[in-house]
Amino acid sequence: MIVTLIIACEVGFWVLLAGGLSLRYLAKMPRTGAAVLLLEPVLELVLLVATAIDLRNGAEADWKHGLAAVYIGYSVGLGHATIKWVDQRFAHRFAGGPPPVKAPKYGTARTVHEWKTAGRWVLAAAVAMGLLQAAIWYVGDSGDISSLRAWQTKMLFVIGINLIIAASYTIWPKQPKDSRARQIT
């Protein structure tokens, strides 16, 4: 049931996103479009409640419950950025909006971009880890929590990878090719 609900929430996310942006730009109803986009968090709330009910009804805590926590964490940490990314492209493609803002390629601006991205991923992983820990406490000693602990370990890995990537741009900032050639000579 949980996997089906996760898939339904993901499909619902894209349906609400497409509907909200279509109302905003194609139907020229920006407030209605914004209202539809504001329904996005309801999907995560439904998933959270359904997961808690599933565990309360005696379901064995397994990878599906962990995946639900990770999905909610992603939505919290990266959902807004995803919506903004799609919004810029939709406005440009269908409503004559300006071209989407591209990520900076070089120097300090790129480093800042990488740290902001890492921050979003850290937030997503931290929310997922918090939800996983709440599920562990909820299940208590009465059930097997090894799969939930495994998801927490994966979230630590996500945090570590993103911090390493951001730190690498701090230590070795990416430079344009022509400026590297001048530094070598």
Side-chain angles (χ1 to χ4, degrees):
M1 174 185 116
I2 297 298
V3 172
T4 303
L5 190 55
I6 292 169
I7 293 168
C9 285
E10 182 66 14
V11 169
F13 172 84
W14 291 104
V15 167
L16 287 175
L17 185 57
L21 294 176
S22 294
L23 286 168
R24 179 184 283 180
Y25 296 113
L26 301 178
K28 307 282 191 231
M29 300 170 66
R31 286 188 179 173
T32 306
V36 169
L37 291 174
L38 287 174
L39 293 174
E40 298 278 358
V42 173
L43 296 172
E44 282 70 39
L45 184 59
V46 167
L47 181 59
L48 180 62
V49 169
T51 303
I53 289 171
D54 192 44
L55 288 171
R56 186 188 69 205
N57 289 339
E60 187 75 26
D62 62 10
W63 67 271
K64 297 175 286 221
H65 299 96
L67 181 61
V70 170
Y71 179 82
I72 293 168
Y74 177 88
S75 295
V76 170
L78 292 136
H80 179 73
T82 301
I83 291 170
K84 184 178 176 182
W85 186 87
V86 173
D87 185 27
Q88 288 178 346
R89 280 142 187 83
F90 195 96
H92 177 65
R93 174 87 166 102
F94 297 108
V101 177
K102 292 184 180 182
K105 290 185 178 183
Y106 307 111
T108 304
R110 178 60 184 229
T111 302
V112 169
H113 170 77
E114 292 299 331
W115 278 106
K116 286 180 181 179
T117 301
R120 289 184 194 106
W121 278 102
V122 168
L123 175 61
V127 168
M129 289 174 62
L131 290 172
L132 290 162
Q133 188 60 47
I136 289 167
W137 288 332
Y138 190 66
V139 171
D141 295 332
S142 64
D144 180 20
I145 56 169
S146 60
S147 65
L148 301 177
R149 291 276 185 221
W151 277 108
Q152 285 183 318
T153 302
K154 291 173 185 165
M155 293 300 97
L156 287 173
F157 186 71
V158 166
I159 290 171
I161 290 296
N162 278 280
L163 292 177
I164 289 169
I165 291 169
S168 72
Y169 277 93
T170 302
I171 297 168
W172 302 287
K174 190 173 180 183
Q175 301 295 327
K177 289 182 182 181
D178 62 344
S179 70
R180 282 186 271 170
R182 278 185 259 146
Q183 290 175 352
I184 293 173
T185 58

